[in-house]
Amino acid sequence: MASNNKKNANKKIEIIEENLKIAEVKEVEEKLIEENKEPQKTINKQIDKRSDITNKDKPIENKQPQKREKINIEEEQKALIEKKENSKKKRTYIAINIFLMLVIILLFSTVFAIMNINNTNIVKGVKIKNIDISNLSVEEAKNKITEAINIELIPEIKLKYEEYETTIKPKNFEYNYKIDFAIEEAKSIGRKGNVLENNYELLLVAFWGKDIDINAEYNEELLNSAVDSIASSVPGVVVNPSYYIENNELIINRGTPGIKVEKEKLKENILNLIKNRNASDILLNNKISEELNIPIQQVNPEEIDIDKIYSEIHKEPQDAYFIKEPFKIVSESDGIDLQNSLEEVRNIIKNENKDEYKFALTITKPQKTVKDLGAEAFPYTISKFSTRYDASNIDRSKNLKISADKINGTVLMPGETFSFNKVVGKRTIEEGYRNAKIYANGGVVDGLAGGICQISSTLYNAVLIANLKIEERRNHAFKTSYVAAGRDATVVYGTIDFKFTNSRSYPIKIAATVENGVAEFSINGIQEEVEYEVKILPSVTQTIPYTTEEIIDPTLAPGTRITTQKGSSGCKVTTYKETRLNGAVVSKEILSNDTYRPLKAIVRVGP
């Protein structure tokens, strides 16, 4: 029993010693590989030596298996060494190749940089909007792009919907390209980094190219206005509810179904069509226009919003008033309200399916109008002008006073236009007008409301001196007796009017008087920071002599001559308006060029 235990112990010791020897062999092998030495001979000696020691006391039958184990270990070690050597060689090869490549790239970059260092042109491969500008100077590139862009902006766009057609051009909404920005970007390619970065970019662009986009700009307000016009002009457009006030009635229209132009989509399509144009294609196909369908959708009208309508029309009467600091005049306004209750109106619209609804209104007049504002609201006399008339001519004097009274007290807000015919109205017997002398049929005859042209002419001169804007004025056929040629203004109801606009910063009030043989107008308001002195200077450039017509009158004694119409020469006149400030002439302009016909003399002659 003791003998067996001893044998087992010895066997275990032998195995441990063998494992230790193998570990020592591996350690030596790794050390030799690191020193780049050939290990095989030393390893074999060590293995033989250790094997002799190990097998010294072993039975003969154990020697053969150990020899085979030794051979396997040698093959494994040899394969491992070869693998590590190959790996090292591969790494060395890769490192050398990388190094050589970096040297070549550096050398090439240096040469490439030297070649391009003095190149101020745009580099090869660069395009703007697909237009090649390689190797061009900045000026050449700009000219080339500008020429192409101008071609692209020539064709008009035909917008169509069924039978409706209209056109729009890029210039209509100031469409253009920001060429300078694109040229600047093209110029910077290969110039904005270090040498390696620039060369890398230059190589990429040379091999693969670079197309620079170019941004466009346009007047959005003009484009929107054009699209709005189209949207309201296409046939069959939807009609939404609308209303108006007439003869103290509120009239509401329901509206009708129809089409609606998709405005945003239309704008987008117009812009894309222009953006995608190609100058070469336009020239090749001789394109002068392109077609584009107007995008539309079928829609129903909006519902009638009576609450919104009521909020817009309803108001309390407002008296006219003025504020001194800062000066402001507020005109009067009528009060407006529905005679029916709002609830009744809602129910009528809801229950009665009609195309048009009418609702009676209550109109309340204000107690004080702008005409009622006193002199305190218009403290400064801007201008004044008067003419004389024959007060003994009762009928003519009556006509002057009626027309002047209708104008007296008229207030014009800044920008508001005065119409003589609108303010004075139709000249009728019912209005009190009488017959008096007028120019007609080449002579002087009696006519209803004769003389009121003296009122329009007197007002015209007051307006000129006030430096207000003349909108419409015409001279008489013949010279007048109350103002010099070039300073008159004739009026005929329904055909010839005298109009002017309050071109000052504040409201003005017109005062008129006709009494004691003098017709006078004054224009009053607020003094402005700069007030100009105005001189009206007519200049006769040609005189046209009159002729005399003799009429045989058998009722007269032989040799008797009676003048029934005095003759007067005609003339051509250029009238100037001279504007002065502190006595110095600021401007001088032609106000009018007028021609007055000669008035023939008529003489009755006895046989």
Side-chain angles (χ1 to χ4, degrees):
M1 182 69 176
S3 175
N4 289 334
N5 289 336
K6 186 176 180 180
K7 287 180 179 181
N8 291 333
N10 289 336
K11 189 174 181 179
K12 290 180 179 179
I13 291 170
E14 288 175 358
I15 293 170
I16 291 169
E17 288 178 345
E18 184 177 356
N19 290 335
L20 289 172
K21 291 180 180 65
I22 292 171
E24 288 175 358
V25 170
K26 289 183 177 180
E27 182 179 353
V28 172
E29 176 192 72
E30 290 173 356
K31 186 174 182 182
L32 290 174
I33 289 172
E34 290 174 359
E35 294 174 356
N36 200 23
K37 292 181 180 179
E38 198 171 315
Q40 190 59 49
K41 187 174 180 181
T42 305
I43 292 170
N44 290 340
K45 286 182 180 179
Q46 290 291 335
I47 292 171
D48 291 342
K49 182 177 180 182
R50 294 298 180 185
S51 296
D52 290 343
I53 295 170
T54 305
N55 298 326
K56 183 176 181 181
D57 297 326
K58 286 185 179 181
I60 296 173
E61 62 269 20
N62 292 334
K63 290 184 178 179
Q64 189 62 34
Q66 289 177 356
K67 186 175 181 180
R68 284 198 299 272
E69 185 178 349
K70 173 183 174 182
I71 292 170
N72 291 336
I73 292 172
E74 289 177 354
E75 290 176 352
E76 291 176 1
Q77 297 301 324
K78 185 176 180 181
L80 180 62
I81 292 170
E82 289 178 355
K83 184 178 180 181
K84 290 187 176 182
E85 285 181 343
N86 290 337
S87 177
K88 185 175 182 181
K89 288 178 181 179
K90 187 176 180 180
R91 288 197 299 271
T92 302
Y93 175 77
I94 291 172
I96 292 171
N97 285 340
I98 292 173
F99 175 76
L100 290 174
M101 189 178 294
L102 290 173
V103 171
I104 292 170
I105 291 173
L106 183 60
L107 181 62
F108 180 80
S109 294
T110 303
V111 174
F112 198 68
I114 293 172
M115 290 174 61
N116 286 280
I117 193 168
N118 293 321
N119 181 24
T120 59
N121 289 348
I122 293 167
V123 298
K124 182 181 178 182
V126 178
K127 296 180 180 180
I128 292 179
K129 209 172 183 291
N130 206 33
I131 302 168
D132 190 4
I133 55 172
S134 298
N135 302 318
L136 297 181
S137 68
V138 168
E139 192 64 30
E140 290 170 338
K142 184 175 180 179
N143 290 338
K144 186 174 183 179
I145 297 299
T146 301
E147 183 180 356
I149 290 301
N150 288 339
I151 292 171
E152 292 181 7
L153 297 180
I154 290 174
E156 64 183 14
I157 301 172
K158 288 185 178 180
L159 300 168
K160 301 183 69 176
Y161 168 68
E162 293 182 349
E163 300 302 319
Y164 174 81
E165 183 177 303
T166 187
T167 59
I168 188 172
K169 297 179 181 179
K171 68 179 181 180
N172 293 150
F173 51 97
E174 300 174 1
Y175 188 98
N176 219 324
Y177 287 97
K178 297 180 180 179
I179 297 175
D180 290 338
F181 290 98
I183 294 292
E184 191 64 30
E185 183 179 349
K187 179 185 175 183
S188 70
I189 292 176
R191 295 183 173 91
K192 54 182 177 287
N194 56 44
V195 173
L196 290 176
E197 290 173 335
N198 288 342
N199 289 337
Y200 175 73
E201 186 177 28
L202 290 171
L203 286 171
L204 284 180
V205 172
F207 282 106
W208 301 105
K210 183 176 179 64
D211 191 4
I212 298 173
D213 195 14
I214 181 169
N215 293 325
E217 57 185 354
Y218 59 93
N219 188 318
E220 189 167 4
E221 185 176 345
L222 291 177
L223 179 57
N224 288 338
S225 177
V227 170
D228 287 343
S229 177
I230 293 167
S232 62
S233 301
V234 291
V237 67
V238 63
V239 178
N240 284 316
S242 61
Y243 71 91
Y244 60 96
I245 294 174
E246 184 177 78
N247 298 326
N248 295 347
E249 280 188 319
L250 171 64
I251 301 170
I252 303 175
N253 292 310
R254 180 177 288 279
T256 55
I259 64 168
K260 178 182 179 182
V261 173
E262 299 179 67
K263 295 181 183 180
E264 292 303 318
K265 188 174 181 179
L266 177 57
K267 288 194 294 183
E268 182 182 347
N269 291 347
I270 291 171
L271 295 174
N272 285 337
L273 184 66
I274 299 172
K275 182 179 179 181
N276 294 327
R277 284 177 174 175
N278 181 279
S280 300
D281 177 59
I282 291 172
L283 289 175
L284 182 64
N285 297 291
N286 194 27
K287 286 185 180 179
I288 59 173
S289 66
E290 293 180 290
E291 290 190 0
L292 191 64
N293 290 327
I294 300 172
I296 61 98
Q297 57 181 170
Q298 295 288 336
V299 293
N300 290 319
E302 299 172 358
E303 295 293 327
I304 295 174
D305 190 346
I306 187 58
D307 293 283
K308 181 174 181 295
I309 293 173
Y310 182 74
S311 67
E312 291 173 353
I313 67 163
H314 174 257
K315 57 183 178 179
E316 298 296 326
Q318 174 67 59
D319 288 343
Y321 65 95
F322 69 94
I323 303 171
K324 289 185 177 180
E325 293 293 339
F327 187 84
K328 179 182 179 182
I329 290 180
V330 179
S331 298
E332 74 279 2
S333 61
D334 294 340
I336 302 175
D337 201 356
L338 290 166
Q339 289 187 9
N340 298 87
S341 70
L342 190 56
E343 188 61 31
E344 288 175 332
V345 173
R346 284 198 198 99
N347 290 331
I348 291 171
I349 293 174
K350 181 180 179 181
N351 299 321
E352 298 181 15
N353 187 16
K354 297 193 297 186
D355 293 333
E356 183 180 86
Y357 302 88
K358 292 184 178 181
F359 301 101
L361 296 173
T362 298
I363 307 297
T364 305
K365 294 293 182 182
Q367 295 181 352
K368 191 174 186 179
T369 69
V370 171
K371 280 190 174 185
D372 298 324
L373 297 178
E376 190 179 6
F378 306 94
Y380 176 69
T381 300
I382 303 167
S383 68
K384 184 179 288 190
F385 190 81
S386 62
T387 57
R388 293 193 170 274
Y389 65 92
D390 182 5
S392 64
N393 188 334
I394 304 299
D395 291 339
R396 189 175 185 278
S397 300
K398 181 71 173 177
N399 294 336
L400 296 181
K401 184 161 181 58
I402 291 172
S403 56
D405 286 345
K406 288 181 178 292
I407 299 171
N408 183 42
T410 298
V411 174
L412 294 180
M413 306 301 285
E416 188 177 356
T417 297
F418 172 94
S419 163
F420 187 93
N421 285 338
K422 184 177 179 180
V423 173
V424 174
K426 192 173 183 179
R427 279 69 100 176
T428 64
I429 295 175
E430 289 75 18
E431 290 290 331
Y433 290 104
R434 300 179 183 182
N435 285 324
K437 299 297 182 183
I438 62 171
Y439 287 124
N441 301 320
V444 178
V445 297
D446 284 335
L448 186 64
I452 67 169
C453 284
Q454 181 170 350
I455 297 301
S456 59
S457 296
T458 307
L459 176 59
Y460 173 57
N461 280 267
V463 168
L464 288 178
I465 296 169
N467 203 24
L468 301 178
K469 183 181 178 183
I470 305 299
E471 301 290 352
E472 183 179 335
R473 169 263 174 188
R474 189 183 299 182
N475 64 292
H476 287 79
F478 306 97
K479 291 186 295 184
T480 66
S481 59
Y482 41 82
V483 290
R487 300 189 64 160
D488 60 315
T490 187
V491 288
V492 177
Y493 187 81
T495 56
I496 303 174
D497 202 357
F498 165 51
K499 294 179 180 180
F500 66 91
T501 296
N502 176 13
S503 50
R504 294 173 65 87
S505 303
Y506 300 101
I508 59 172
K509 186 174 184 179
I510 303 171
T513 59
V514 173
E515 56 187 10
N516 301 324
V518 177
E520 183 177 81
F521 277 90
S522 65
I523 298 176
N524 306 296
I526 299 296
Q527 186 172 9
E528 297 189 352
E529 186 175 348
V530 177
E531 291 289 352
Y532 294 97
E533 179 187 3
V534 176
K535 296 287 185 181
I536 307 302
L537 306 171
S539 175
V540 177
T541 59
Q542 181 182 346
T543 299
I544 306 171
Y546 69 89
T547 59
T548 300
E549 180 184 359
E550 293 185 351
I551 301 174
I552 303 297
D553 187 350
T555 63
L556 296 177
T560 304
R561 299 175 63 87
I562 299 176
T563 301
T564 57
Q565 178 175 292
K566 291 183 178 181
S568 65
S569 60
C571 64
K572 290 185 177 181
V573 180
T574 297
T575 305
Y576 297 89
K577 182 174 79 169
E578 188 177 83
T579 306
R580 300 182 181 186
L581 183 63
N582 299 324
V585 176
V586 175
S587 66
K588 186 175 182 179
E589 60 182 283
I590 294 177
L591 190 62
S592 64
N593 286 298
D594 302 319
T595 299
Y596 297 88
R597 290 185 294 166
L599 182 65
K600 66 182 178 181
I602 299 176
V603 179
R604 291 167 56 208
V605 179

